[in-house]
Amino acid sequence: ARNLHVQCAMCIPATTAGVERLFSIAGYILSCRRLSLIDRNFEDQVFAHCNSDLLANASRKRKPDAD
C-alpha cells in the first residue's frame, strides 16, 4: 500500500502550467470566428493542437521510404 501511495504522489504535476496552457489553446480555438463549433469538433481541435507533435511523428513513421 505504501508503494502505491508513493507512485501516486510522484505522478501528480507540481504546477498547473499544463492546464493553463490547455485553457489558452482552447481560448484561441474558440475565437469569435469559431463560436458556432459543435462540442465534438471543438474537442477534436483542442486534442489535435495539443498532440500535434505526436501526430506529426506518427505520420512520419507511416510514410514509406522513397528509396
Side-chain angles (χ1 to χ4, degrees):
R2 177 172 156 60
N3 192 20
L4 180 62
H5 177 70
V6 171
Q7 286 178 341
C8 287
M10 298 302 280
C11 66
I12 299 171
T15 67
T16 59
V19 174
E20 291 173 11
R21 193 174 314 116
L22 176 65
F23 276 107
S24 177
I25 291 167
Y28 285 119
I29 291 172
L30 199 59
S31 64
C32 292
R33 294 181 183 180
R34 293 184 166 183
L35 287 178
S36 62
L37 278 176
I38 61 173
D39 292 345
R40 178 63 189 188
N41 289 346
F42 173 69
E43 291 171 7
D44 289 346
Q45 289 275 330
V46 172
F47 179 83
H49 187 77
C50 291
N51 294 294
S52 61
D53 57 333
L54 297 174
L55 295 171
N57 287 337
S59 67
R60 277 189 227 121
K61 288 180 181 178
R62 277 195 238 150
K63 291 183 182 178
D65 291 335
D67 297 330

